[in-house]
Amino acid sequence: MRLDQVIENALANATGEDVFVYRLEGVKLDVEIGIHDYERGVKQRVLVDVVTLVSKAWCGSDDIATVVDYDYILNGIKALENRQFDLQETLCGTILDIALEPAAVAAAQVTTRKTQAYPDAEAVGLTRFRRKK
């Protein structure tokens, strides 16, 4: 099921709750990623986009404590710069775990794009989606 379908379902099934779609786009991550020998020990630029879905009653307060703050995702992603990943699938899964940490988050989508993989391509990427059970 695609994220837009999950959002539509959340809207259709909402009982007095608002649906919030949070986006954090274009996070620059310099991380060791790749399976080839020439990729080992070298950090590559990866761009990361994260979308999270929250369905909850809106209290109407203009207070950061009443919403899901982006900081936890950004800080979690940046903390990965000291790790090594063979595959984008693994990196995306790790970021999905981070994105889904708050209890209020019902689903998340993560896209990663390696920007230096091919000289003739702007990027090579992957998108993963997960919804809480």
Side-chain angles (χ1 to χ4, degrees), residues 16-90:
E17 294 186 340
D18 289 337
V19 174
F20 298 85
V21 179
Y22 294 90
R23 297 179 185 281
L24 181 61
E25 299 177 337
V27 176
K28 296 173 181 83
L29 178 67
D30 294 315
V31 66
E32 185 181 339
I33 185 167
I35 59 169
H36 301 291
D37 288 341
Y38 63 85
E39 295 175 302
R40 301 292 184 169
V42 178
K43 290 193 175 192
Q44 294 184 56
R45 172 62 52 96
V46 177
L47 297 178
V48 180
D49 300 329
V50 181
V51 178
T52 57
L53 174 71
V54 173
S55 180
K56 68 180 215 166
W58 174 242
C59 68
S61 174
D62 196 22
D63 180 359
I64 190 71
T66 65
V67 297
V68 177
D69 192 352
Y70 301 96
D71 287 352
Y72 83 98
I73 298 174
L74 180 60
N75 294 334
I77 291 170
K78 295 306 279 183
L80 299 176
E81 288 189 322
N82 296 321
R83 294 197 35 201
Q84 187 276 329
F85 296 90
D86 286 344
L87 303 172
Q88 286 193 71
E89 289 82 353
T90 307

